[in-house]
Amino acid sequence: MGVNGPVRWLLRQEQGAEHLRSAVWATLAGLTGFYVLRYGFDAPDMALYALFGALPLCLFAQVPGAAPERTRTFLAVLPAGWALVTAGTLLAGHSWSAACGMFVVGFTASFLGVGGPRLGGLATAFQLYYLLPCFPPYAPGTLGERLGGLTVGILLTALVDRLLWRTERPVPYRVLLADAVDAVAGYCAATGRLMAGAGDGTDRAGARRCEEEAGRALRATLLSRVAPAERPTSASLRDRACYDARAAVRHVRAQLDRLVAGARGPDPGGARLLEHTAAALRNAGRVLRSGSPGPRDDTLSTAVGAFRAERARRLSGVSAVRLRQDSVVQAAAAGAVLAGEGARIAFGAPLDDRWRRPGGPFAYATTSAPGRWWRRLALHLTPRSVLLQNALRLAFALAGARLIVGALELPHGFWVLLAVLSLMRTSAADTRGALPPAFLGVAVAAVVSTLLLVVVGDTPAFYIAAAPVVFLVGFAVGPVLGSAWTQATLTLVLVLLFVQILPPDRHLPAVRLMDVVIGGSLGAAASLLAWPRGAGGELRRSVVDFMSRGAEACGAVTFRLCHGLEHDRGTDPLRPARTAMRLAQAAHTQYRTERAGREATSPSWETAMQPGHHTVSGGELLITARRDGGGPPLPPEATALLADLAERVTADCLRAADVVRSAGASARAPGSGEPPGRYPAAESEALRYAVEGVGEV
């Protein structure tokens, strides 16, 4: 009864069940190998490496997926661990060689996280596998024992992971996306009912309710609101296609917002097309939930073709307002086609022939997996990438710490670099905020450990019995109570384990405190010197660049549409905007994880990025529709009118980017009395004559 109370309290805390499982996992996987090798085989070196083979995976790694997937991941870690322990052992003879190796390993392990959460979640484990053997004593003759211990620890980790109970997994991204697709489908159906009727208050109120539901569901799919292990950030075909499907659905929702705001009913043709659009979205939602592409359904594509033909026939007798409304309805339907294709590609369907072209929305579906991974890495090989910044910052901090430890000949210098890894954050403010509680926790634990060593002395039985209790309680409760408790637990654990390998030393807790202070201070200095503002310093620049690239893409896409296929030489007019979009998304996702140093009056970054998102997704749809439709180039009158409109849109987008760049300073069109961004539907009237001879808009 006395135990059930604390356990119930822990399970009621946020992620309490996961922390309890990690603590049990670390206790069983880490201490089993340690005790068997230390006392059963009298192999202290093997015991130490068995312990440190398990702990990084149990406590610091985030391995997504079901149990079989996780087991395969742990087994794949083995050869990487062997290589890292071997490198650390062979480079430990000189501080400079060890520090250079530390820089390479620290950077590579961290930067490979751009490939997705599976690699990113293992970065700390890989760094620790190199870190432990790269310190004195330089003993290449013990490499076999070290590799044997590491193997035991990793295999025990995989075994215990399969035997323990499973905590509730985060909602898979495909399910969150399916919820959003279904919500937008409901919004689409409600908008169709609004357009089919006279637009009375009941229909409009229903559409507004569906709009709110769709907005909530789409916000739940933002990367910054999704569990890290479930974010579709890898270069895999599934993640790429799911993310593109979300962009298409977001585009559909934006078109529906425009229809609800200015619907002019009744419009039976537009309502019928929206019904087909809603049905196609519901089918995409079923694909995402089931994880199976199912048979291809071209009903919506057929309906879009019929709508275009009918629209061309009645072009001369339709008002400018209805002309624009028809364009918006058609854009919503085209977005649903794109979302459905993305959902099917995500689960193994072959790419349809209509999308097979350079610069197409699914061009990556014809690229090999290594090619997709290289493009993802190359995308972030720029100083403007927060992921590259983080990797370089950490690599310099670890290499510098290794040099200082070697120069000062600090005992247990491994703990200095462990402190850098555990306390360093992506911004100077967050790192400073993490230091005081960590120092306090280590100081308190150092006092307790010193008293323990004085009272207990050289009594191995006590340390053998106490270590599992500290492991289980400390690692289960510490993360809930805060970083001070976590650092205190780690200090007690290290003391209890090292006194079982080396003779008890009363100075050991003080050494631990000194190492944490040195390591934390080095991490703070590195954070202060290298990109101190973290994502906060890069986000504004990235968003402004995204807005500017989106503005430029508006003119490039318009040129492509106006001049037809003879000017299509395989180039992608949207590529610069896509690149800027992904860098801005990475900065925004990291920004949402940083707690300190945020601007009190920062703009809504998601809103600021919306014009660029609309340009990328809408531009892809327009280029695809033009490629599918074929036909002759537009007449000179249409080309001139569209080019002029594109120039105005580009100018307004660039002015908006200037507003964001100047942190909110007002910007207006020179010599204009009207605010930018107004494009009356009547302007479409002038395009009517130009497009009548082409057959479609």
Side-chain angles (χ1 to χ4, degrees), residues 216 220 358 402 465 502 627:
R216 285 194 296 269
R402 179 61 183 86
L502 303 172
R627 170 65 69 96

Side-chain angles (χ1 to χ4, degrees), residues 46-64:
M46 287 188 68
L48 183 62
Y49 277 82
L51 177 71
F52 279 94
L55 290 190
L57 296 176
C58 298
L59 298 177
F60 304 123
Q62 296 179 345
V63 181

Side-chain angles (χ1 to χ4, degrees), residues 645-688:
L645 186 58
E647 288 179 3
R648 292 170 53 192
V649 173
T650 299
D652 285 346
C653 289
L654 292 175
R655 276 191 291 271
D658 287 338
V659 171
V660 177
R661 181 185 292 110
S662 59
S666 60
R668 298 173 65 88
S672 173
E674 293 293 328
R678 294 184 179 180
Y679 309 99
E683 294 183 354
S684 300
E685 187 75 27
L687 296 174
R688 186 188 318 280

Side-chain angles (χ1 to χ4, degrees), residues 377-580:
L377 292 175
L379 172 70
H380 289 278
L381 284 175
T382 168
R384 297 277 68 87
S385 170
V386 294
L387 301 180
L388 180 71
Q389 293 173 8
N390 293 340
L392 287 173
R393 182 193 298 114
L394 181 62
F396 278 116
L398 291 174
R402 179 61 183 86
L403 285 175
I404 291 175
V405 167
L408 299 179
E409 298 182 352
L410 296 176
H412 298 285
F414 164 78
W415 293 348
V416 174
L417 276 75
L418 180 61
V420 173
L421 276 176
S422 61
L423 298 178
M424 192 172 177
R425 304 292 186 265
T426 57
S427 71
D430 277 4
T431 303
R432 287 196 305 270
L435 295 183
F439 291 167
L440 176 62
V442 174
V444 172
V447 173
V448 173
S449 301
T450 302
L451 293 175
L452 188 66
L453 292 174
V454 170
V455 173
V456 177
D458 190 6
T459 309
F462 174 83
Y463 303 117
I464 294 172
V469 177
V470 176
F471 256 78
L472 186 59
V473 176
F475 289 128
V477 179
V480 174
L481 297 180
S483 60
W485 291 86
T486 302
Q487 290 295 328
T489 299
L490 190 58
T491 300
L492 286 171
V493 162
L494 291 174
V495 170
L496 289 173
L497 294 175
F498 272 86
V499 296
Q500 297 181 57
I501 296 176
L502 303 172
D505 183 359
R506 298 177 185 178
H507 300 293
L508 190 62
V511 171
R512 163 68 180 164
L513 176 59
M514 178 186 67
D515 288 342
V516 170
V517 171
I518 293 174
S521 301
L522 290 174
S527 296
L528 186 63
L529 295 175
W531 298 286
R533 296 181 62 195
E538 191 61 44
L539 182 58
R540 186 181 300 276
R541 185 184 297 107
S542 297
V543 170
V544 169
D545 184 57
F546 180 28
M547 297 173 73
S548 301
R549 297 292 185 180
E552 295 168 2
C554 180
V557 169
T558 303
F559 179 86
R560 175 73 59 84
L561 295 174
C562 290
H563 292 85
L565 300 182
E566 66 271 15
H567 291 273
D568 185 358
R569 300 176 180 173
T571 59
D572 181 5
L574 293 169
R575 183 175 181 178
R578 281 199 204 95
T579 299

Side-chain angles (χ1 to χ4, degrees), residues 102-120:
M102 190 71 259
F103 179 88
V104 172
V105 171
F107 173 81
T108 304
S110 180
F111 187 64
L112 285 179
V114 307
R118 191 174 299 275
L119 280 175

